Amino acid sequence: MDWLLALFATPFLPHSTCLFLRPDLIALHVLSDGLLAAAYLAIPAILLFFARRRPHMEQVLRGVLIYFACFITACGVTHIFGAVTMWYPIYYLEGMFKLLAAIISVTTVVLLVRWAPRLLAFRSPEELEAMNRKLVAESDAHRRTAAELVRTVDRLKQSNRDLEEYAHVAAHDLKAPLRAVRSFSELLEKQHRDALTGDAREYLSFISDSARRMSRMVDDLLTMARLEQDSEPRLLVPLANCVDEALRNLHSAVRERDARVEVGQMPSMRVRPSHTVLLFQNLIANAIKFCPEGRTPVVRIAARPTDEGWEIVVADNGIGIPSEHREAVFGIFRRLHGESEYPGSGIGLSVCRRIAEQHGGRITIDASADGGCEVRIHLPELRPPADGVADDRPAGCEPASC
């Protein structure tokens, strides 16, 4: 209690006695201390008001303002004590506030030294204006580039449409002379077979085989062109129905090789039905064709849900595909075997990949447990279209077998 009384009651003389109680000197010092105190107390108020009006200010700058406001406030209080001690000698209390002001001042200096690199990193108004002009220029350049990209994409789309139409027309027009070559070569072989020598018969056989191969290639090109131009809507259909239709189309090939096709639980999805039938038809046909003679072809089709939708797996026990060729076989007209070994145009897997991509999915090839291939089709689960064009059949899984 005594120390508290000592703060306000001391035996010392007030400062005014040092000035011989001269009113002019007392007034000069009191006025000076009062004005300094008012200024010191006004500055932190302005700084804190500024900090409150800028809530998104850099944290370091906000800290500088707060500590500087505390430092200025402490200095202002010491000047108030300078005026008060003219009449009241409360030097203990004044000393304690001066010590507090000193601590705040030293802390502010230390923090300013630590924050100096970050404060120096702040941009000047001129630099900010230059950066703003640069950003505006870059934004304009990006807009021009984006507009040019849109125009380029439009031109590419038109070019693709023109190429697709050209491929469709060219393939269609090629069928007429090919039919003529096949027809006349068959007539020549039938009507003048006895008159032809051994080499002539062989050459005629080459012509007929080449015409048949070219006809198949043209048919495959037409199929690819129709895939690009087809606007068939996506319907909610059980994939098992698509597999069944593909098996009906392949009835002769399945029966000829006594193939066994096992189909597990299949989901219902929003797909283009005819394209999906063609997808399964090509994969099943490849599985049967690339199974060695003397081995019963076995094809297993299964589906499993994924985070994005469904993964359809078509596995076989055929000759398999080496890992280094599993991507190349999706190229158009890419073949790993000669025509004499396994006939075909080499476009089937290209068609399958295009169908998967049209449905927003992808297709890959792995080795199967039987030494053959596992073709994996990843299809996303599509939402119903906004225009409401969809099949009324409910989604679900249906088994199928052959």
Side-chain angles (χ1 to χ4, degrees):
M1 196 66 181
D2 293 337
W3 68 269
L4 183 60
L5 293 175
L7 292 176
F8 297 96
T10 60
F12 303 108
L13 295 175
H15 275 156
S16 58
T17 59
C18 299
L19 303 176
F20 300 104
L21 298 177
R22 288 184 55 177
D24 55 340
L25 289 176
I26 294 173
L28 177 61
H29 282 275
V30 171
L31 180 61
S32 300
D33 284 328
L35 291 176
L36 285 171
Y40 278 138
L41 294 178
I43 291 174
I46 296 172
L47 293 177
L48 293 176
F49 172 78
F50 181 77
R52 287 176 61 87
R53 294 296 298 270
R54 292 290 184 270
H56 302 296
M57 185 186 301
E58 283 281 347
Q59 190 66 31
V60 62
L61 187 56
R62 181 182 293 275
V64 168
L65 291 179
I66 292 175
Y67 275 95
F68 195 68
C70 294
F71 161 69
I72 296 295
T73 301
C75 292
V77 172
T78 60
H79 283 283
I80 293 175
F81 274 104
V84 171
T85 54
M86 283 290 179
W87 294 280
Y88 302 100
I90 49 176
Y91 299 124
Y92 279 117
L93 189 59
E94 181 187 20
M96 293 178 63
F97 271 95
K98 283 186 176 181
L99 178 61
L100 178 62
I103 294 173
I104 295 175
S105 301
V106 172
T107 303
T108 303
V109 170
V110 172
L111 291 176
L112 283 174
V113 172
R114 290 183 57 187
W115 291 340
R118 296 180 62 182
L119 293 172
L120 291 173
F122 288 154
R123 303 291 185 178
S124 66
E126 293 77 12
E127 290 176 320
L128 291 175
E129 180 64 25
M131 292 175 63
N132 186 54
R133 288 195 298 269
K134 183 179 179 181
L135 288 174
V136 170
E138 290 178 352
S139 177
D140 293 339
H142 287 320
R143 281 196 293 269
R144 290 193 296 271
T145 302
E148 182 61 29
L149 284 175
V150 170
R151 290 192 292 269
T152 302
V153 169
D154 290 339
R155 289 196 296 268
L156 287 174
K157 287 181 178 179
Q158 182 60 45
S159 177
N160 284 339
R161 286 193 292 267
D162 293 342
L163 287 173
E164 290 163 8
E165 183 177 357
Y166 171 77
H168 187 274
V169 172
H172 186 272
D173 291 345
L174 279 174
K175 290 185 70 67
L178 283 173
R179 282 195 297 269
V181 170
R182 291 183 59 186
S183 298
F184 283 110
S185 62
E186 290 173 358
L187 285 174
L188 184 62
E189 183 178 9
K190 181 184 296 185
Q191 296 180 4
H192 302 281
R193 181 178 180 84
D194 295 336
L196 297 175
T197 63
D199 288 343
R201 291 180 182 178
E202 184 179 1
Y203 298 155
L204 184 59
S205 177
F206 288 156
I207 292 173
S208 299
D209 290 342
S210 298
R212 280 192 293 270
R213 290 176 56 192
M214 180 62 74
S215 181
R216 285 198 302 269
M217 293 175 67
V218 170
D219 289 336
D220 291 336
L221 283 175
L222 284 172
T223 299
M224 184 69 80
R226 280 194 294 268
L227 284 178
E228 301 296 338
Q229 294 180 344
D230 196 359
S231 59
E232 180 184 18
R234 296 186 182 185
L235 305 178
L236 181 63
V237 296
L239 295 187
N241 291 0
C242 298
V243 175
D244 286 341
E245 186 171 347
L247 290 173
R248 284 194 292 271
N249 296 337
L250 295 171
H251 177 74
S252 297
V254 172
R255 185 174 181 179
E256 180 181 346
R257 291 295 306 274
D258 194 24
R260 189 170 78 251
V261 181
E262 302 172 356
V263 185
Q265 298 292 320
M266 302 293 287
S268 292
M269 299 189 67
R270 297 186 184 279
V271 296
R272 291 174 174 171
S274 65
H275 293 190
T276 309
V277 170
L278 183 59
L279 170 67
F280 286 116
Q281 183 174 317
N282 283 349
L283 294 178
I284 296 172
N286 278 352
I288 295 174
K289 179 171 66 175
F290 291 102
C291 186
E293 291 292 337
R295 183 188 303 175
T296 300
V298 178
V299 186
R300 297 181 177 88
I301 304 175
R304 69 176 186 87
T306 64
D307 293 338
E308 299 177 354
W310 289 88
E311 180 187 65
I312 314 299
V313 180
V314 180
D316 62 54
N317 63 337
I319 60 175
I321 298 176
S323 57
E324 63 270 20
H325 298 303
R326 288 174 187 167
E327 180 62 27
V329 292
F330 288 106
I332 190 169
F333 298 130
R334 294 298 300 270
R335 295 173 51 86
L336 301 182
H337 308 278
E339 176 73 17
S340 60
E341 295 179 274
Y342 298 99
S345 62
I347 200 174
L349 287 177
S350 299
V351 171
C352 292
R353 168 165 283 186
R354 188 69 189 112
I355 292 173
E357 290 175 348
Q358 283 181 339
H359 288 80
R362 65 187 188 280
I363 184 170
T364 58
I365 296 178
D366 293 322
S368 71
D370 296 332
C373 293
E374 278 189 0
V375 181
R376 301 179 179 274
I377 308 109
H378 305 267
L379 297 177
E381 189 71 55
L382 300 179
R383 296 182 180 275
D387 56 6
V389 179
D391 197 315
D392 292 333
R393 285 172 288 187
C397 295
E398 296 185 9
S401 62
C402 176

